[in-house]
Each structure stands twice: as C-alpha cells, then as structure tokens.
C-alpha cells in the first residue's frame, strides 16, 4: 500500500494504462477506511475521474444458486472473446448480515479470472450502503479508468442491495429461476420494478416450466410503467451451463443501453445516480459521525433504555441526541 502522494500519481498512471495490478491496488486504497488512505483515495479518484464513464455498466442480481457466477463467467468469456475488457465487481451483502459469505466461499469464475482481458474483484461487505459495499461505485469508476468497457456489478438479492446496484448501473438485470415462487418473491419485494432485463436461467432443466414462469413474468411486467425512453423489459430464457442464449441476452443489454443513450436519458440517469450516491454517502457519513460523537455516546444508552421502557418518547429521545450533536458542532 503506497503512502506518499507521488505514489498516488504513479498508481493513477498505472490504472489509466490498464494495468490490472495497479487497478487492484487502487481499489484497495479506495476501499481503505484509514484516514490517510481516504485522502489518498480521494486524490486518486480525482485523477481518474476524467477517464471514467466509458463502460457499459451492468448490474445483475439473483438468489443464491440462481447461477450468477456461471452466467457471468460465460458472458464474460463471450465478451472478452469479442474484444471487450470485462470487470466484475461482486458485492456480497450476506456476509455482513449472516457472518457467512455466499459469494466468497467458493472459487468462482475460475476461467474468467485467468483471462487477461478480465478483472474480477469481490467487494468487502464492511461499511455497507444499502447492502452494497460503500466503495463499489468508486471501484466501478476505477475499472472504467483502467479501460474496462464492460463493468458488471453482481449482488445477491439481500436487503437493499438490488436498489443500490440498480442505482449505479445503466442496465439492471434480474436473474431468475423457473421455480414456482421465485417470480412472486421478486414481484413482492419490488425488485421487478428495477429490472431492465429479466433472465430465466437453467431453462435446460425443465423447458416447459421455464416457459410458464416466463409467461407469468411477462404478464407481471405489463402492469408496470415503461422505463426510460419507453423501454419495456424483455424476458429471456438462457442456460448458462449449456452456454445457450447468452449472445441474445447481450444484444438486449446493448439495445437497452443504446435506447437510453439515443434519447439522452443515459446522461440524465448517470447525473442523477452521481447525486444520489453523494446523498447516500452523506447519510451514512452523518450516521457514522453521530454514533462516534462523545456526547451522543454518553447519552445514547440512557435515552435508548428510556425509549424501550416507555418513559421517553422516540421523538424526544431523537431530538435530545441530535441536539447533543449540534451543541458540540457549534462549539468546535
Ligand atoms: P450463484 O450462487 O447464483 O452464483 O450460482 P452458481 O453459478 O454457483 O450456480 C449454482 C449451481 O447451478 C451450480 O451447480 C451450477 O453448475 C448450476 N447451474 C448454473 N447455471 C445452470 C444452468 O443453466 N443449467 C443447469 N442445469 N445448472 C446450472
């Protein structure tokens, strides 16, 4: 991990030259929570910013076992074979929720990981924002600066992670299983509304069941408002294991992105996403500072106990704690 400022410049140059080692180090720096690293990470991002924005940003979410890693590996190899450079950022919110990791435990995407035109990076789940690692968006920008023209952000459907990933990508893909109930889950949780493309994987197992599930999903989608530029999410069937339907899928992703770009909505969306990310960082930063504040720390246990006992209203407790923060801030 470099410390002097000159190393930040060298690292930025390495990233912009497309060096994967430099990129990996850069992301480690960006993700570091140490105060001095944070400042360097900011400087690094500032140096990289002019080189960002050039990738197709694709988010993908699905339940554990839906076939995400199989699918991304096959897609990634197809794309690198066609001359693309593909970065995959795997976000695993489950590791912070359950203490175990769904994405990290097994060796994933071995073949793609060996491909020199690919870069795979699991994001640590510490410091989560809506279930997404707090620096995933910045890591995505670093990948773009390194010349990766396809960036895939993968997440397990836990907590708010889909909303967060959909909020930082151009095209959000929902990977479904043709099992009874999987589509209902997605519809109930409001995830279908986020999808630009819905994919049913493992259609090789029971093609008839897949057809039924896809039909139901198509019906459910007709009830939703069309997206940007009148986009209606297509519903596709694939078999990642048999490498079937993957190129047709990619054509839809490109068509979705092109539709947004042609109507000017892509630029609007990205501007809005950058502002939303700023607010998400402000919210989480304020919460962090609030909890770390000595006055708050001193008063919190009592206030919290009184709220639980019913002797203090949540409103009064919240005001008291927030006022503590304010008093201290004014004096400082
Ligand atoms: P993830 O947890 O979503 O990343 O899922 P994996 O990619 O690890 O896949 C879970 C299991 O499903 C593995 O045993 C895969 O081999 C299998 N699998 C993935 N895609 C397909 C497919 O299209 N057809 C069949 N039959 N099995 C698949």
């Amino acid at each position: 991990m470099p410390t002097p400022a000159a190393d930040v410049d060298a690292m930025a140059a390495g990233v912009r030259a497309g060096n994967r080692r430099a990129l990996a180090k850069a992301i480690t720096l960006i993700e570091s929570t140490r105060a001095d690293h944070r400042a360097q990470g900011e400087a690094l991002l500032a140096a990289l910013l002019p080189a960002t924005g050039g990738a197709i940003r694709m988010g993908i979410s699905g339940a554990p076992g839906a076939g995400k890693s199989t699918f991304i590996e096959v897609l990634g190899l197809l794309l690198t074979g066609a001359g693309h450079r593909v970065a995959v950022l795997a976000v695993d919110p489950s590791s912070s929720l359950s203490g175990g990791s769904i994405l990290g435990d097994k060796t994933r995407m071995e073949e793609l990981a060996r491909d020199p035109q690919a870069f795979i990076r699991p994001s640590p789940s510490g410091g989560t924002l809506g279930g997404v690692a707090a620096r995933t968006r910045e890591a995505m920008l670093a990948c773009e600066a390194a010349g990766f023209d396809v960036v895939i952000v993968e997440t397990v459907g836990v907590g708010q992670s889909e909303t967060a990933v959909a909020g930082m990508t151009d095209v959000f893909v929902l990977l479904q299983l043709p099992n009874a109930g999987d589509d209902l889950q997605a519809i109930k949780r409001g995830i279908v509304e986020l999808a630009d493309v819905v994919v049913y994987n493992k259609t090789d197992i029971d093609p008839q069941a897949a057809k039924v599930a896809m039909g139901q999903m198509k019906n459910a989608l007709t009830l939703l408002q069309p997206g940007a530029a009148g986009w209606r999410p297509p519903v596709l069937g694939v078999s990642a294991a048999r490498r079937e339907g993957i190129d047709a899928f990619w054509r839809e992703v490109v068509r979705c992105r092109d539709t947004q770009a042609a109507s000017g909505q892509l630029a609007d969306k990205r501007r809005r996403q950058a502002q939303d990310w700023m607010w998400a960082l402000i919210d989480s930063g304020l919460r962090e500072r609030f909890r770390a504040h000595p006055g708050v720390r001193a008063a919190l246990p009592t206030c919290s106990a009184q709220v639980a006992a019913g002797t203090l209203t949540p409103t009064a407790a919240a005001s008291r704690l927030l006022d503590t923060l304010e008093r201290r801030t004014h004096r400082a």
Side-chain angles (χ1 to χ4, degrees):
M1 175 81 51
T3 37
D7 283 357
V8 169
D9 290 341
M11 197 186 270
V15 171
R16 293 184 65 158
N19 181 315
R20 290 193 300 172
R21 250 181 80 82
L23 176 60
K25 278 184 162 180
I27 295 177
T28 303
L29 180 63
I30 289 165
E31 284 171 347
S32 173
T33 50
R34 260 178 54 180
D36 55 334
H37 288 169
R38 276 200 175 179
Q40 289 167 22
E42 285 303 320
L44 177 65
L45 278 167
L48 296 179
L49 204 61
T52 63
I56 292 193
R57 302 171 179 173
M58 187 189 106
I60 183 162
S61 170
K68 291 178 298 301
S69 54
T70 312
F71 180 80
I72 294 170
E73 173 155 80
V74 172
L75 174 67
L77 291 169
L78 178 94
L79 293 172
T80 57
H84 292 283
R85 295 186 72 217
V86 180
V88 181
L89 302 173
V91 178
D92 184 359
S94 59
S95 57
S96 62
L97 294 178
S98 67
S101 171
I102 295 174
L103 291 180
D105 281 352
K106 54 195 172 188
T107 314
R108 310 175 81 240
M109 304 178 221
E110 274 181 354
E111 203 181 335
L112 188 62
R114 283 196 304 269
D115 188 328
Q117 299 308 316
F119 176 81
I120 300 178
R121 172 88 178 195
S123 277
S125 52
T128 56
L129 269 183
V132 169
R135 292 287 175 266
T136 305
R137 189 169 191 279
E138 286 73 12
M140 183 177 81
L141 296 177
C143 292
E144 282 186 344
F148 288 89
D149 63 332
V150 178
V151 181
I152 299 172
V153 184
E154 171 197 8
T155 188
V156 185
V158 176
Q160 295 297 303
S161 64
E162 291 109 332
T163 314
V165 171
M168 65 175 73
T169 49
D170 306 329
V171 180
F172 183 68
V173 178
L174 190 59
L175 194 68
Q176 291 282 105
L177 284 176
N179 299 340
D182 200 39
D183 42 1
L184 266 180
Q185 273 292 328
I187 292 164
K188 260 199 326 218
R189 293 180 56 227
I191 305 308
V192 173
E193 278 95 328
L194 300 172
D196 295 302
V197 180
V198 180
V199 181
Y200 278 84
N201 188 30
K202 308 197 189 184
T203 53
D204 54 289
I205 297 175
D206 185 347
Q208 191 49 35
K211 226 170 141 183
V212 171
M214 287 167 64
Q216 280 167 356
M217 179 57 78
K218 278 182 194 160
N219 282 339
L221 285 167
T222 56
L223 302 175
L224 301 176
Q225 293 291 326
W231 179 260
R232 288 248 171 227
V235 178
L236 307 171
V238 304
S239 167
R242 293 193 186 171
R243 308 194 170 201
E244 286 167 9
I246 311 298
D247 42 1
F249 161 78
W250 184 247
R251 279 198 296 277
E252 287 301 311
V253 171
V254 172
R255 192 169 69 84
C256 180
R257 220 308 269 246
D258 287 352
T259 305
Q260 292 176 40
S263 66
Q265 306 248 13
L266 181 65
D268 282 352
K269 182 171 172 170
R270 285 185 166 186
R271 271 195 288 272
R272 217 173 36 244
Q273 288 179 337
Q275 286 169 331
D276 288 349
W277 190 245
M278 176 187 83
W279 278 109
L281 292 173
I282 290 172
D283 286 344
S284 78
L286 281 176
R287 192 175 262 268
E288 223 171 81
R289 282 186 200 182
F290 177 78
R291 287 187 175 277
H293 188 278
V296 171
R297 286 169 70 128
L300 190 60
T302 313
C303 282
S304 180
Q306 287 175 338
V307 168
T311 54
L312 183 67
T313 64
T315 322
S319 310
R320 192 178 295 173
L321 290 165
L322 287 167
D323 286 349
T324 310
L325 187 69
E326 199 111 302
R327 275 201 299 277
R328 180 64 184 237
T329 311
H330 285 323
R331 249 186 275 137

